[in-house]
């Protein structure tokens, strides 16, 4: 897509480049270079919606918006993408003029409000980003109401930031809903059992308000069997269910989904904890069921009824993604692959057995006919002798997940040598430095790398994985954007090399297994290296740091991390100054996770207003006092300030006592009603309630 700058020297339609084909509308990316330096004006004809020709003049403060150009009789208005929410106040107070266009270019709030509703509704339907959609709804009251009636996809980043009644009052016809529950640190067992994030109230409310809901995606939520039964009963055309890192349900709930959701296309259970009380739940799919396109049951622990799974695959010709659990042996996998040669995503089961030449040949033949396979995962307890059966599909693979496959470095090197088009690799540290060097030389399209520890609690593992492997990938893979790397040592020199070699990084998560581990060369802090990461990687959005780090690095982060959205810290910093640098400097920060750091009340209270612009703050084993939490709750009534004490209720402790865990998040719903006994919410003042216009979802 090419950026165009409209000029005033010729009619607008002469500045637009039309595509050679005229079967569909084209899209032009128009970039405003400075705030209100140039008023972007576009002439759009919308014959299908407006009886006579109309000219619609629109402006934006700064950023990117899309204008579709009419080709023949096609509807041309495609997509407006606003990056700044405060366009509303700017348009209310001023008018602007493009030199050379005269009074035709004047834009006022009245003109924004007179935008045809049908055209606006159609234009908004092309905006997929929930952030952009929220920004559009802030332009004016008319746009807010239009968004309210026509929004179909909804993302809720924190299930307690808004309540189900608020959602159902604002939006009238939601078809796709995504909700996140527990804090991210729940993945590391830092959130106690029974904390909350129950899905049932949400599903019950959605069932009443949105019977046409088709898609539901839940992450880190407690999903009961009753909730799954409601899904099958309430939503008449339900198609997609994705449960990621969820718990609380059993195979009885899955049986209800299988029996009642007759149009289900996607069922994905990703790293969820499922109570296997009935192994034959998959047989509850009716014989007339044929719509399944994606099935991920890799997290289940019980044996699958293979005959029922085989029949299900035979009935579903559009099945493109299949991930089974480790109970499926290699000989059964060969049958599944033979029955579904059009799979694009495959997660295998147990990938080992006795040496059987006939099975080897059958498996190799089945994989050779998988001409559309792009993603491969699973390979539990892989037998190296069967890895060559995969070589035929390796050249087409773009994603390879070996995080459960204990493949040693020599075998990995040979396997990766066939994966020339690989873009995403998850692997255990068995790959070692030489395997990562081979990856760098073979996979030039690599965009994401995750290296996990095989024995995280072994102090002296016999694995040759150091910082050099990551340096090799950073230098050798020009498209690398995302890194998660577990290792046992790091140096400033390596981090500087990574930063200067790959300034396009958007996600960098480094986990040094030993806390407070210094630069192994100089024995000093890693401030210089992490400072180079945030200084050179201008588009960095997510950063996780570990090792010996002082307040100095947080000064670099505050000064250079302008696009940083999520920051995770452990055993870092010297004082409140470090936290102050982060909160005062990182303007786009949404989530901040801190554990075992010497940060306390002073920096938190001084930057309290920043917390209202963030989604959440998590602090555990820090120096925040109960009194500081009380002050924060009183000072910021639109925040929920939750103190988590497993050892006893906060009332029984002195105000100067340090809290065990603190979770702060913005909300328009007030304190939650389902908090367990070990969660204490600081009471807010009864004043200050959000108006409907301000009840924008986080």
């Amino acid at each position: 897509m090419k950026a165009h700058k409209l000029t005033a020297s010729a009619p607008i339609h002469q500045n637009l480049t039309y595509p050679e084909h005229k079967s569909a509308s084209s899209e032009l990316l128009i970039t405003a270079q400075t705030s209100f330096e140039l008023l972007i004006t576009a002439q759009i004809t919308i014959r299908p919606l407006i009886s006579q020709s109309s000219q619609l003049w629109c402006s934006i403060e700064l950023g990117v918006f899309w204008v579709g150009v009419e080709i023949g009789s096609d509807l041309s208005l495609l997509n407006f993408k606003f990056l700044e929410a405060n366009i509303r106040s700017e348009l209310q107070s001023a008018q602007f003029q493009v030199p050379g266009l005269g009074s035709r270019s004047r834009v006022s709030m009245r003109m924004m409000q007179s935008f045809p509703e049908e055209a606006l509704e159609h234009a908004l339907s092309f905006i997929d980003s929930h952030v952009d959609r929220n920004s559009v709804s802030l332009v004016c009251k008319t746009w807010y109401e239009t968004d309210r009636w026509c929004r179909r996809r909804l993302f809720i980043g924190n299930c307690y930031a808004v309540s189900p009644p608020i959602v159902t009052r604002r939006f009238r016809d939601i078809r796709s809903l995504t909700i996140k529950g527990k804090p991210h640190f729940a993945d590391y067992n830092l959130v106690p059992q029974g904390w909350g994030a129950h899905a049932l109230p949400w599903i019950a409310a959605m069932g009443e308000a949105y019977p046409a809901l088709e898609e539901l995606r839940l992450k880190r939520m407690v999903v009961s069997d009753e909730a799954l039964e409601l899904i099958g009963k309430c939503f008449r055309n339900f198609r997609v269910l994705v449960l990621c890192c969820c718990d609380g349900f059993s195979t009885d709930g899955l049986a209800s989904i299988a029996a009642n959701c007759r149009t289900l296309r996607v069922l994905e259970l990703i790293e969820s904890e499922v109570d296997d009380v009935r192994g034959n739940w998959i047989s509850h799919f009716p014989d007339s069921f044929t719509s399944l396109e994606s099935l991920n049951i890799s997290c289940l622990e019980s044996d699958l009824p293979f005959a029922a799974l085989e029949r299900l695959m035979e009935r579903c010709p559009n099945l493109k993604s299949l991930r089974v659990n480790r109970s499926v042996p290699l000989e059964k996998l060969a049958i599944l692959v033979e029955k579904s040669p059009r799979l694009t995503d495959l997660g295998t089961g147990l990938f080992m057995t006795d040496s059987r030449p006939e099975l080897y040949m059958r498996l190799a033949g089945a994989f050779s006919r998988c001409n559309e396979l792009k993603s491969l995962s699973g390979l539990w307890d892989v037998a190296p002798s069967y890895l060559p059966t995969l070589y035929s599909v390796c050249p087409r693979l773009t994603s390879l997940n070996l995080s459960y496959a204990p493949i040693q470095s020599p075998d990995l090197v040979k396997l990766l040598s066939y994966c020339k088009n690989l873009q995403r690799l998850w692997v255990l540290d068995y790959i070692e430095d030489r395997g990562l060097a081979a990856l760098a030389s073979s996979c030039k399209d690599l965009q994401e790398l995750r290296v996990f520890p095989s024995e995280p609690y072994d102090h002296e593992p016999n694995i040759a994985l150091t910082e050099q492997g990551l340096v090799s990938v950073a230098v050798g893979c020009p498209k690398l954007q995302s890194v998660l790397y577990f290792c046992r040592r790091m140096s400033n020199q390596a981090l500087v090399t990574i930063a200067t070699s790959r300034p396009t990084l958007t996600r960098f998560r480094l986990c040094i297994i030993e806390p407070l581990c210094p630069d192994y060369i100089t024995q000093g802090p890693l401030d210089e290296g992490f400072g180079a990461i945030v200084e050179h990687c201008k588009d960095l959005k997510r950063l996780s740091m570990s090792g010996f780090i002082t307040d100095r690095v947080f000064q670099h982060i505050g000064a250079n991390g302008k696009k940083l959205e999520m920051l995770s810290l452990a055993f870092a910093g010297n004082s409140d100054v470090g936290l102050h640098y982060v909160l005062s400097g990182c303007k786009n920060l949404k989530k901040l996770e801190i554990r075992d750091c010497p940060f306390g009340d002073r920096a938190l209270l001084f930057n309290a207003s920043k917390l209202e612009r963030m989604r959440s703050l998590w602090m555990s084993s820090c120096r925040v006092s109960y009194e500081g939490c009380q002050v924060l709750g009183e000072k910021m009534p639109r925040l929920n300030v939750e103190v988590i004490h497993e050892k006893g209720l906060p009332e029984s402790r002195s105000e100067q006592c340090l809290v065990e865990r603190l979770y702060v998040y913005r909300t328009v719903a007030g304190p939650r009603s389902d908090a367990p006994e070990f969660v204490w919410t600081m009471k807010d003042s009864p004043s200050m309630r959000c108006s409907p216009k301000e009840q924008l979802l986080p």
Side-chain angles (χ1 to χ4, degrees):
M1 200 66 61
K2 185 178 180 181
H4 294 261
K5 181 178 180 181
L6 298 186
T7 64
S9 59
I12 291 176
H13 69 273
Q14 295 182 11
N15 290 285
L16 302 179
T17 303
Y18 287 76
E20 293 182 0
H21 62 283
K22 296 188 177 182
S23 59
S25 299
S26 64
E27 295 177 344
L28 299 177
L29 177 62
I30 307 174
T31 305
Q33 297 179 348
T34 56
S35 180
F36 290 116
E37 283 185 351
L38 178 65
L39 175 64
I40 301 298
T41 330
Q43 182 182 30
I44 307 173
T45 305
I46 314 178
R47 290 179 189 159
L49 298 180
I50 302 176
S51 59
Q52 57 184 2
S53 299
S54 300
Q55 291 182 338
L56 307 176
W57 306 99
C58 308
S59 73
I60 63 172
E61 176 185 358
L62 177 66
V64 181
F65 74 98
W66 296 82
V67 176
V69 182
E70 183 187 45
I71 305 297
S73 60
D74 291 337
L75 184 62
S76 61
L77 188 58
L78 291 183
N79 193 343
F80 285 87
K81 191 174 185 181
F82 293 92
L83 301 183
E84 296 291 339
N86 48 357
I87 178 178
R88 173 181 48 169
S89 59
E90 295 288 349
L91 286 176
Q92 286 175 337
S93 60
Q95 291 184 339
F96 307 93
Q97 181 175 345
V98 177
L101 289 182
S103 59
R104 290 188 306 160
S105 65
R106 295 187 181 276
V107 179
S108 66
M109 194 63 190
R110 181 177 299 177
M111 296 184 70
M112 298 294 288
Q113 292 175 336
S114 64
F115 198 94
E117 291 185 6
E118 296 86 351
L120 178 61
E121 181 175 345
H122 188 80
L124 296 185
S125 68
F126 291 93
I127 301 179
D128 295 326
S129 168
H130 65 276
V131 176
D132 297 336
R133 197 65 186 256
N134 287 344
S135 297
V136 165
S137 68
L138 284 172
V139 171
C140 62
K141 184 177 180 179
T142 300
W143 288 38
Y144 175 88
E145 290 296 328
T146 302
D147 173 69
R148 178 188 179 212
W149 285 95
C150 73
R151 191 184 295 207
R152 299 292 178 262
R153 308 178 66 88
L154 189 61
F155 171 84
I156 300 174
N158 180 354
C159 65
Y160 291 120
V162 68
S163 66
I166 292 176
V167 172
T168 56
R169 283 198 304 267
R170 176 174 175 183
F171 301 109
R172 296 303 183 184
D173 191 16
I174 296 298
R175 302 296 178 89
S176 175
L177 179 63
T178 300
I179 310 177
K180 291 186 177 181
K182 301 174 187 176
H184 175 249
F185 269 7
D187 294 346
Y188 303 95
N189 298 320
L190 292 178
V191 178
Q193 286 289 331
W195 177 82
H198 299 283
L200 181 59
W202 282 97
I203 295 175
M206 300 303 110
E208 294 182 3
Y210 309 128
L213 187 76
E214 298 177 353
E215 302 178 5
L216 181 62
R217 295 172 176 85
L218 304 177
K219 188 171 185 178
R220 300 190 193 97
M221 298 196 72
V222 179
V223 183
S224 63
D225 287 342
E226 182 182 357
L228 295 180
E229 292 174 3
L230 270 181
I231 292 175
K233 295 177 181 178
C234 295
F235 307 122
R236 57 180 179 268
N237 194 31
F238 193 72
R239 298 181 179 183
V240 176
L241 178 62
V242 178
L243 304 179
C244 180
C245 302
C246 294
D247 57 14
F249 63 100
S250 72
T251 49
D252 284 344
L254 297 179
S256 177
I257 292 292
N260 297 313
C261 299
R262 301 301 180 93
T263 59
L264 192 68
R265 294 180 181 178
V266 176
L267 177 59
E268 296 183 356
L269 312 176
I270 306 171
E271 298 183 14
S272 294
E273 297 180 10
V274 185
D275 185 11
D276 287 330
V277 297
R278 185 183 304 182
N280 65 340
W281 67 272
I282 204 168
S283 62
H284 284 71
F285 284 104
D287 293 339
S288 59
F289 179 76
T290 61
S291 60
L292 197 63
E293 298 176 6
S294 177
L295 178 64
N296 183 347
I297 48 178
S298 58
C299 65
L300 297 181
E301 296 182 358
S302 63
D303 292 343
L304 291 175
F306 185 78
L309 178 61
E310 187 177 5
R311 291 194 301 270
L312 178 64
M313 293 182 61
E314 291 175 347
R315 297 196 305 270
C316 300
N318 295 322
L319 187 68
K320 293 291 185 179
S321 177
L322 174 66
R323 298 190 182 189
V324 297
N325 67 353
R326 63 183 305 160
S327 71
V328 177
L330 203 56
E331 55 269 19
K332 301 295 186 181
L333 177 66
I335 298 175
L336 296 180
V337 174
E338 287 175 343
K339 290 184 177 296
S340 302
R342 298 182 61 184
L343 286 175
T344 59
D345 177 23
L346 174 64
T348 76
L350 198 66
F351 211 80
M352 68 175 301
T353 187
D354 298 333
S355 179
R356 295 160 54 184
E358 69 282 359
L359 176 59
Y360 181 97
M361 296 301 297
R362 182 178 184 180
L363 194 62
F367 276 118
S368 67
R369 290 187 289 274
C370 292
N371 297 323
E372 300 179 24
L373 194 63
K374 301 292 184 182
S375 177
L376 183 65
S377 59
L379 303 179
W380 276 282
D381 300 330
V382 60
S385 58
Y386 280 88
L387 282 178
T389 61
L390 302 173
Y391 290 166
S392 61
V393 300
C394 285
R396 292 184 292 273
L397 291 181
T398 58
S399 177
L400 182 60
N401 184 349
L402 302 176
S403 57
Y404 293 100
I407 307 175
Q408 300 300 315
S409 184
D411 298 314
L412 273 172
V413 169
K414 189 169 184 180
L415 180 67
L416 292 174
S417 67
Y418 291 92
C419 302
K420 301 295 184 181
N421 296 308
L422 200 63
Q423 299 177 11
R424 179 178 181 236
L425 175 64
W426 294 13
V427 67
L428 292 173
D429 54 11
Y430 293 122
I431 192 171
E432 299 185 336
D433 289 344
R434 56 177 173 173
L436 291 175
L439 174 70
S441 62
S442 300
C443 306
K444 296 301 181 180
D445 291 335
L446 190 71
Q447 299 176 16
E448 178 183 349
L449 172 67
R450 299 191 185 187
V451 179
F452 300 95
S454 55
E455 299 291 342
Y457 303 109
D458 191 345
H459 293 288
E460 295 182 359
N462 187 25
I463 294 175
L465 181 74
T466 68
E467 79 290 347
Q468 190 54 49
L470 182 56
V471 170
S472 299
V473 174
V475 173
C477 299
K479 298 181 180 180
L480 187 67
Q481 296 180 355
S482 178
V483 169
L484 170 61
Y485 197 76
F486 284 82
C487 62
R488 296 181 182 273
R489 76 179 199 188
M490 185 54 62
S491 69
N492 283 305
Q493 180 181 356
L495 288 172
V496 171
T497 303
I498 293 168
T500 54
S501 301
R502 205 53 51 221
T504 54
L505 285 174
T506 59
R507 293 172 177 82
F508 186 78
R509 292 184 284 169
L510 178 64
C511 302
I512 303 175
I513 295 176
E514 288 295 329
L516 301 173
C517 185
D519 182 325
Y520 77 96
I521 298 176
T522 66
Q523 297 304 310
L526 293 168
D527 297 347
E528 179 186 356
F530 282 110
I533 292 291
V534 295
E535 180 180 354
H536 290 276
C537 303
K538 302 296 185 182
D539 295 325
L540 195 67
K541 294 183 178 180
R542 186 172 181 180
L543 175 64
S544 297
M545 301 192 301
S546 56
F548 179 27
I549 300 169
T550 71
D551 287 343
R552 179 188 168 199
V553 74
F554 298 117
Q555 187 175 11
H556 289 289
I557 293 175
N560 298 292
K562 301 305 180 183
K563 295 185 179 181
L564 197 63
E565 297 179 356
M566 183 173 179
L567 176 63
S568 301
L569 307 172
F571 303 96
N574 307 111
S575 65
D576 276 348
V577 175
L579 180 58
H580 171 70
Y581 283 139
V582 171
L583 291 177
S584 62
C586 299
K587 304 302 182 182
N588 289 317
L589 192 63
K590 295 180 180 178
K591 297 175 70 175
L592 178 58
E593 303 172 333
I594 306 171
R595 58 166 298 187
D596 297 281
C597 295
F599 303 147
D601 298 341
R602 186 177 178 184
L604 196 61
L605 295 176
F606 187 81
N607 297 279
S609 60
K610 169 68 175 179
L611 300 179
E612 280 195 338
R613 299 191 298 272
M614 294 171 51
R615 184 183 298 171
S616 64
L617 165 69
W618 172 276
M619 300 180 73
S620 59
S621 301
C622 296
R623 297 180 182 175
V624 180
S625 70
Y626 177 57
E627 181 183 16
C629 296
Q630 283 182 313
V631 174
L632 181 62
E634 295 171 359
K635 186 177 181 180
M636 309 301 295
R638 297 188 185 185
L639 295 177
N640 270 2
V641 181
E642 294 188 358
V643 173
I644 303 173
H645 274 268
E646 289 186 282
K647 298 179 182 178
L649 291 175
E651 302 110 306
S652 63
R653 298 166 176 259
S654 67
E655 291 186 348
Q656 298 301 322
C657 178
L658 301 183
V659 302
E660 296 175 12
R661 302 176 180 93
L662 172 66
Y663 185 45
V664 181
Y665 54 91
R666 65 186 182 191
T667 181
V668 296
R672 59 188 178 109
S673 59
D674 64 345
E677 292 184 354
F678 56 80
V679 174
W680 181 267
T681 303
M682 300 296 102
K683 295 185 181 298
D684 63 340
S685 60
S687 61
M688 299 191 73
R689 288 290 181 258
C690 296
S691 66
K693 184 67 176 291
E694 293 171 320
Q695 291 175 350
L696 294 176
L697 300 179

